[in-house]
Amino acid sequence: MLSFENDYSEGAHEKILQRFMETNLEKVSGYGSDPYCESAKQKIREACECPQADVYFLTGGTQTNAVVISSMLESYEGVVAAQTGHVACHEAGAIEYSGHKVITVPQYKGKIKVEDLKNCLKTFWDDESHEHMAFPGMVYISHPTEYGTLYTKAELEEISSVCRSYNIPLFLDGARLGYGLMSEETDVTLPMIAKYCDVFYIGGTKVGALCGEAVVFSGNRTPKHFLTLIKQRGALLAKGRLLGIQFDTLFTDNLYFEISRHAIAMADYLKKGLAEKGCRFYLDSPTNQQFVILENRKMTELKKEVKFSFWEKYDGNHTVVRFATSWATKKEEIDQLLDLF
Amino acid sequence: MLSFENDYSEGAHEKILQRFMETNLEKVSGYGSDPYCESAKQKIREACECPQADVYFLTGGTQTNAVVISSMLESYEGVVAAQTGHVACHEAGAIEYSGHKVITVPQYKGKIKVEDLKNCLKTFWDDESHEHMAFPGMVYISHPTEYGTLYTKAELEEISSVCRSYNIPLFLDGARLGYGLMSEETDVTLPMIAKYCDVFYIGGTKVGALCGEAVVFSGNRTPKHFLTLIKQRGALLAKGRLLGIQFDTLFTDNLYFEISRHAIAMADYLKKGLAEKGCRFYLDSPTNQQFVILENRKMTELKKEVKFSFWEKYDGNHTVVRFATSWATKKEEIDQLLDLF
Amino acid sequence: MLSFENDYSEGAHEKILQRFMETNLEKVSGYGSDPYCESAKQKIREACECPQADVYFLTGGTQTNAVVISSMLESYEGVVAAQTGHVACHEAGAIEYSGHKVITVPQYKGKIKVEDLKNCLKTFWDDESHEHMAFPGMVYISHPTEYGTLYTKAELEEISSVCRSYNIPLFLDGARLGYGLMSEETDVTLPMIAKYCDVFYIGGTKVGALCGEAVVFSGNRTPKHFLTLIKQRGALLAKGRLLGIQFDTLFTDNLYFEISRHAIAMADYLKKGLAEKGCRFYLDSPTNQQFVILENRKMTELKKEVKFSFWEKYDGNHTVVRFATSWATKKEEIDQLLDLF
Amino acid sequence: MLSFENDYSEGAHEKILQRFMETNLEKVSGYGSDPYCESAKQKIREACECPQADVYFLTGGTQTNAVVISSMLESYEGVVAAQTGHVACHEAGAIEYSGHKVITVPQYKGKIKVEDLKNCLKTFWDDESHEHMAFPGMVYISHPTEYGTLYTKAELEEISSVCRSYNIPLFLDGARLGYGLMSEETDVTLPMIAKYCDVFYIGGTKVGALCGEAVVFSGNRTPKHFLTLIKQRGALLAKGRLLGIQFDTLFTDNLYFEISRHAIAMADYLKKGLAEKGCRFYLDSPTNQQFVILENRKMTELKKEVKFSFWEKYDGNHTVVRFATSWATKKEEIDQLLDLF
């Protein structure tokens, strides 16, 4: 059966598996102190043009968000996020489980507006009773967002500037970062992200790895004793090599970017194909997630042949669904999908 | 200086202080096991017409909300509340500190609508990925609300019925419950609240006590080992008599209701007076908090003579401010206030 | 019935109740910003000879321990305490509920030894895998201890010096501090405690107040936004006056010290009386708690006439029990008790 | 360089990597709902002779302990463990981070004694003030222990029986379970563990997997909505296949047991060799961890040629060190090690 359900349906890029094989019987030390982690960190620092960055590897997105946010916030602080931000709604309350409030601001196709952010921060600090409220202590954005959209360089710069004027860190969730960076419609590069954010993560799970996210503290705000904090949150792997080897491979010979570019090329091909078939798009996504408005009858019919994600009801007769491409998507699959329209 | 800043500016009703004096040197056992706590509990059960209710005394509103919510929710659950609910915005993240999400629904003059609640619950359970979200595990309403408004009996019944159909408890924050029950515009009684809610609290701090809130578990859902949970959350007083004597006094000879009725009478008098002076009200509040739209110049001038609370900006030239009456408000004070208009 | 069960059986010193009456209808601002809190803080700073100290009022001992410890520790840190320390065993897991480990060291009549403390800290930092363990981030001692014993000035100085060499705060739980300071056998004064500790609390609940503990941050380590942290932990009273008036009264005209001295005089009278009757003491306590080894038959008989606390089994035929005096104990009561031996 | 540092120095058993390759491009659903997870669960149920067991896969040991313990305990409960239990000392306070106390009992070569456990439980329930303490709500044992020792069937049965008489679950940490089950000196089988425990985990990370532990709820006490609890604790992998494939491979054709038996054979060979060389053992370990008392000079010399773990100081001149074999240890390596003695 065809599947465009998500970008984590397959295993890992084959070069990763090859490296697992090649290095398998080497004895290396544990908990991320092995040479593969070191090498991967160095390559990531270089790709970010941020030689002083601290890099850590964690296993998944919710884990990374919870570890980073709970480690960087003071007890009296919450994290500001879009209403549709992953931390605000799809992480089973993991941020709150760590003791912190998610302070929501409006979303526009998944993005936050700098005006809303300014307003949120100003309102808080102007409020005479702000000591009775959770302090906005960090800003969280996802890039690409949950709707596949991207911040522009100018937007990122402005949001960063607001954060710095309030002396709070900007955290960018890059679960699908490769797909954002390789979009044809972006003016944002990895070094810019390292510059404008204080911390961000480079997603592996959705971009060719079996698991793994690379957290980059580019803003000199690495929490003290972060390894202990990771361990305490149940997020420290004994065999750190599992993550080190994967990111070392992904950041060798531009693999991460190449496979991301492939996913984008596939998404563009899909997008054009669907448009030619007369499909309506819910929004214009420049990345690997495409949101299409389907007639309910069409949707039911399609379900028999292909997997995709229900997104939300559009109206009585229509539904928004998502088709996702990935590093592993094949052109033939898209052709087969288009044939069904 | 005049003050209508809030309903907790004075100490306690004098009968409470008298009882402190009379009982002061009696040796009683600690942690709420004294005869005054017992007597107060019994009187509260009777006032609620709920003989099987479990009653506990805590010291303040935020503490009570945090203790009750964190004790009744499962780890995977959050509490549904209005966006303006006290737990959602003015408790410094106390609910999240206990590990739970506050799931917000729209507010209408501080109240939630049963349609929104139904929608929130249905959407959650219909969502195929609801296991990745915080479960709505309790509904929190305040009565009177933060805007002084009240639910009708019919509304309460409907909300209760929705909660029961989803088998989740309904929790009513009665920090100002007396002022709600004694409003001339309510059809809700204390026994009704005991019937429609699973748990609620009868506010003492704002209604004549020095401190204290009486939590009533009327719905057979008292958390197991609740005393230990209270202690663990730092909310157990060694000298439980402090709370027992206060509630025993408040629930003797209808004192709680009489002093509440007085506050309402004062609020009505204030309301009429302000209306006669041509004041505009932000909303029609039937309880002890009155929200008035003042011209900014008027507000600044008034501030020199009287304390009141800033509520929110109305427009460029106007501000919403709050005047609160209480069990201790004197008619002369209102006359003096009105003279300033 | 006679009672030597504990030091919180009665209400409050009558001067406190008088002050409640006198100030009752004054309108003061909330949350600890009233003039009584200010005045009490100033008097406490003077008594501590520590003009820069930050003082806050909380309601009870477990609450105070949990608020102070959880606010001062980093997430990766735990608190070092004696095995018999109140935080280690009699607070229903309140410290752990706040996310922190209690790291225990041996106890000697309730006290910790500086050698054990040094060893605990050195062992931790020498351990190559210490990043996989909870860091010792604070030292907690109680004075008087749970066994009524006291640290000497020299011991306090040494413990303080160890803490400072590791740059971790020393926290002294003074739930019964008055009884320690007024002991005839102590060379420790309040200003010394302020000097050697970074934070400590002056107990009110067990020393003449209805409720209340005064937290003194004497070591320039007050947590940022401590008011918000208090609120978040459910420990902020709206009517802060309740605590302010009590401590203002206790620290006026040396009341706190005088009533503590009375309790000590009563304890000494009891001690001598029991010794004359041939009673064996479990340990030599210089404060208001006296631990006596009773034959089980004697204990059972005594129980019919007087309340006291079971402490622990001594052997098959004997039990250790506790008799506590307090600010409210009368000489006649002791005479009556002694008559029963 | 030779290494006997631990049992997680290499990657994974080659059959696991082969299966990764073979299945890599299959599209499967996420979050543990893939066919490999299903198949692995079924095989584990069969190996446990426990058809009704619920099986879940997590990534590492500390994570598993924290997720299981925090999900099964009530808020007022702590977990009973040996002083040397992994949860008590080497998990960076992960259990306390989840809000729960670790209640320690004495250890004997890493094991707890049923008498101490009985005493701990009885003392708690007999204590009149037990409501002021953390309740013992679960018993945690590790098998093999941190010292490589094993419980006998009789011991396991007795501990289980005590737990059941107090109606609290018994949780067995099987991070190295394979090495315990394949020891020549054990009378404990996997079905027995399933029978005597309510929950346990079968360690993968230290027994041939890249990562992964299989949690088995054999006692009908699976926490409600456990998937959500896993997600909330940051422990849910998007690509559940990573764990499913590994455990499916390990439980195919007895691989898990065969590679464990190999590690034990290697440990026995090492043990005999060291004994012949006149080495003194710290204790008699029947599993893959061997604890040897080395003269410090010998230790320093050895360190140049081989990696091993410092365990603890023995006396002024001697140190206890650990040599660990694993599924990947080669006989030649042991011969080389022995040549150094």
Side-chain angles (χ1 to χ4, degrees), chain A residues 194-248:
Chain A
K195 184 180 158 196
Y196 292 131
C197 298
D198 297 282
V199 56
F200 62 98
Y201 76 88
I202 302 171
T205 302
K206 288 165 179 164
V207 192
L210 264 172
C211 67
E213 325 294 320
V215 182
V216 184
F217 291 98
S218 54
N220 299 317
R221 286 178 176 260
T222 317
K224 230 173 134 180
H225 300 301
F226 192 56
L227 191 93
T228 306
L229 296 172
I230 293 173
K231 172 106 180 180
Q232 188 180 50
R233 283 147 180 81
L236 188 63
L237 288 187
K239 294 184 179 170
R241 71 197 295 156
L242 168 60
L243 301 171
I245 291 166
Q246 292 188 88
F247 275 96
D248 192 52

Side-chain angles (χ1 to χ4, degrees), chain B residues 1-14 17-18 20-21 23-31 59-60 62-63 66 70 86 90-95 97-98 204-211 228 231-239 241-242 307 327-330 333, chain C residues 1-14 17-18 20-21 23-31 59-60 62-63 66 70 86 90-95 97-98 204-211 228 231-239 241-242 307 327-330 333:
Chain B
M1 195 177 192
L2 274 178
S3 174
F4 291 85
E5 202 180 2
N6 58 49
D7 35 21
Y8 46 89
S9 293
E10 290 90 355
H13 191 276
E14 59 173 0
L17 297 188
Q18 275 168 19
F20 281 165
M21 296 291 246
T23 61
N24 193 41
L25 291 181
E26 292 173 16
K27 296 189 191 215
V28 301
S29 53
Y31 305 110
T59 37
T62 296
Q63 180 181 91
S70 68
H86 208 255
H90 279 98
E91 302 198 339
I95 305 307
Y97 179 72
S98 82
T205 302
K206 289 165 179 165
V207 192
L210 265 171
C211 66
T228 306
K231 172 108 181 179
Q232 188 181 50
R233 283 147 181 80
L236 188 63
L237 289 187
K239 293 183 179 170
R241 69 195 296 153
L242 168 59
K307 285 187 178 177
W327 58 279
T329 304
K330 294 187 193 105
E333 295 172 314
Chain C
M1 195 176 191
L2 275 178
S3 174
F4 292 85
E5 202 179 4
N6 58 50
D7 35 21
Y8 46 89
S9 293
E10 289 91 356
H13 191 275
E14 61 173 359
L17 297 189
Q18 275 168 19
F20 281 165
M21 297 290 248
T23 62
N24 193 40
L25 290 181
E26 292 173 18
K27 295 188 191 217
V28 301
S29 53
Y31 305 110
T59 36
T62 296
Q63 180 181 90
S70 69
H86 209 253
H90 279 98
E91 302 197 340
I95 304 307
Y97 179 73
S98 82
T205 302
K206 289 168 178 162
V207 193
L210 264 172
C211 66
T228 307
K231 173 107 180 180
Q232 188 180 49
R233 283 148 181 80
L236 189 63
L237 288 188
K239 294 184 179 170
R241 71 196 296 153
L242 168 60
K307 284 186 179 180
W327 59 277
T329 305
K330 290 184 195 113
E333 295 171 313

Side-chain angles (χ1 to χ4, degrees), chain C residues 194-239:
Chain C
K195 183 178 158 199
Y196 293 130
C197 299
D198 298 280
V199 57
F200 62 99
Y201 77 89
I202 302 172
T205 302
K206 289 168 178 162
V207 193
L210 264 172
C211 66
E213 325 294 320
V215 183
V216 183
F217 290 99
S218 54
N220 299 316
R221 286 178 176 261
T222 317
K224 232 174 134 180
H225 300 300
F226 192 57
L227 191 94
T228 307
L229 296 172
I230 293 173
K231 173 107 180 180
Q232 188 180 49
R233 283 148 181 80
L236 189 63
L237 288 188
K239 294 184 179 170

Side-chain angles (χ1 to χ4, degrees), chain A residues 243-255:
Chain A
L243 301 171
I245 291 166
Q246 292 188 88
F247 275 96
D248 192 52
T249 308
L250 288 170
F251 279 83
T252 297
D253 298 335
N254 282 317
L255 183 62

Side-chain angles (χ1 to χ4, degrees), chain C residues 30-279:
Chain C
Y31 305 110
S33 62
D34 61 275
Y36 299 106
C37 282
E38 269 323 300
S39 168
K41 288 176 182 192
Q42 192 48 36
K43 288 172 184 167
I44 286 171
R45 280 186 206 104
E46 281 162 24
C48 295
E49 295 176 11
C50 189
Q52 90 289 357
D54 283 321
V55 183
Y56 288 86
F57 302 112
L58 295 170
T59 36
T62 296
Q63 180 181 90
T64 301
N65 287 333
V67 169
V68 168
I69 292 171
S70 69
S71 297
M72 295 189 78
L73 290 184
E74 294 293 328
S75 176
Y76 53 81
E77 293 176 332
V79 59
V80 180
Q83 285 168 317
T84 49
H86 209 253
V87 294
C89 47
H90 279 98
E91 302 197 340
I95 304 307
E96 292 84 359
Y97 179 73
S98 82
H100 299 281
K101 190 178 192 70
V102 181
I103 301 164
T104 53
V105 289
Q107 61 88 19
Y108 307 87
K109 298 181 184 173
K111 292 163 63 177
I112 65 170
K113 283 198 177 157
V114 72
E115 289 73 26
D116 289 326
L117 177 59
K118 272 185 191 165
N119 187 44
C120 165
L121 295 169
K122 185 167 165 26
T123 304
F124 173 82
W125 286 102
D126 283 355
D127 191 324
E128 281 175 24
S129 65
H130 71 259
E131 283 189 307
H132 295 258
M133 296 159 74
F135 285 50
M138 173 187 256
V139 173
Y140 164 97
I141 55 175
S142 37
H143 181 90
T145 66
E146 294 71 16
Y147 284 91
T149 52
L150 293 171
Y151 288 90
T152 64
K153 185 192 166 195
E155 287 168 340
L156 214 54
E157 197 171 0
E158 276 192 305
I159 291 172
S160 176
S161 158
V162 172
C163 288
R164 280 168 196 180
S165 72
Y166 282 93
N167 194 25
I168 57 175
L170 175 59
F171 172 34
L172 183 146
D173 173 337
R176 296 184 167 97
L177 190 56
Y179 303 139
L181 293 170
M182 291 300 107
S183 168
E184 305 229 326
E185 296 172 40
T186 191
D187 58 353
V188 172
T189 64
L190 191 52
M192 278 176 205
I193 287 173
K195 183 178 158 199
Y196 293 130
C197 299
D198 298 280
V199 57
F200 62 99
Y201 77 89
I202 302 172
T205 302
K206 289 168 178 162
V207 193
L210 264 172
C211 66
E213 325 294 320
V215 183
V216 183
F217 290 99
S218 54
N220 299 316
R221 286 178 176 261
T222 317
K224 232 174 134 180
H225 300 300
F226 192 57
L227 191 94
T228 307
L229 296 172
I230 293 173
K231 173 107 180 180
Q232 188 180 49
R233 283 148 181 80
L236 189 63
L237 288 188
K239 294 184 179 170
R241 71 196 296 153
L242 168 60
L243 301 171
I245 291 166
Q246 293 189 87
F247 276 96
D248 192 50
T249 308
L250 288 170
F251 279 83
T252 298
D253 297 336
N254 282 317
L255 183 60
Y256 187 75
F257 303 100
E258 274 177 27
I259 64 177
S260 296
R261 186 179 292 122
H262 171 77
I264 292 299
M266 290 298 100
D268 285 346
Y269 183 64
L270 171 64
K271 208 166 151 181
K272 273 169 206 142
L274 289 171
E276 278 166 19
K277 297 280 186 177
C279 277

Side-chain angles (χ1 to χ4, degrees), chain D residues 126-276:
Chain D
D126 282 354
D127 191 326
E128 279 175 26
S129 66
H130 72 260
E131 283 188 308
H132 295 257
M133 298 160 74
F135 284 50
M138 173 188 254
V139 174
Y140 164 97
I141 56 176
S142 38
H143 181 89
T145 68
E146 294 71 16
Y147 284 90
T149 50
L150 293 172
Y151 288 90
T152 63
K153 184 191 166 195
E155 287 168 342
L156 213 55
E157 196 171 0
E158 275 192 306
I159 291 172
S160 175
S161 158
V162 172
C163 289
R164 281 167 195 180
S165 73
Y166 281 94
N167 195 23
I168 57 176
L170 174 59
F171 172 33
L172 183 148
D173 174 336
R176 296 184 167 98
L177 190 55
Y179 304 140
L181 293 171
M182 291 299 106
S183 168
E184 304 230 329
E185 296 172 40
T186 191
D187 59 351
V188 172
T189 64
L190 191 51
M192 278 176 206
I193 288 173
K195 183 179 158 198
Y196 292 130
C197 298
D198 297 282
V199 55
F200 62 98
Y201 77 88
I202 302 172
T205 302
K206 288 167 178 162
V207 192
L210 265 171
C211 66
E213 324 296 320
V215 182
V216 183
F217 289 99
S218 54
N220 299 315
R221 285 177 176 260
T222 316
K224 232 175 134 181
H225 299 300
F226 193 57
L227 191 93
T228 305
L229 296 172
I230 293 173
K231 173 109 181 177
Q232 188 181 50
R233 282 147 182 80
L236 189 63
L237 289 186
K239 293 183 179 170
R241 70 196 296 153
L242 167 60
L243 301 171
I245 291 166
Q246 292 188 88
F247 275 96
D248 192 50
T249 307
L250 287 170
F251 280 83
T252 298
D253 297 337
N254 281 316
L255 182 62
Y256 187 75
F257 303 100
E258 273 178 26
I259 64 178
S260 297
R261 187 179 292 122
H262 170 78
I264 292 300
M266 291 298 99
D268 285 347
Y269 184 64
L270 171 64
K271 206 166 152 182
K272 274 170 205 140
L274 289 171
E276 280 167 18

Side-chain angles (χ1 to χ4, degrees), chain A residues 70-117:
Chain A
S70 69
S71 298
M72 294 188 79
L73 291 183
E74 295 294 327
S75 177
Y76 52 82
E77 294 177 330
V79 59
V80 180
Q83 285 168 319
T84 50
H86 208 255
V87 294
C89 47
H90 279 99
E91 302 197 340
I95 305 307
E96 292 84 359
Y97 179 73
S98 81
H100 299 281
K101 191 177 190 69
V102 180
I103 302 164
T104 53
V105 289
Q107 61 88 19
Y108 308 87
K109 298 182 184 170
K111 292 163 65 178
I112 65 170
K113 283 199 179 160
V114 71
E115 290 73 24
D116 289 327
L117 177 60

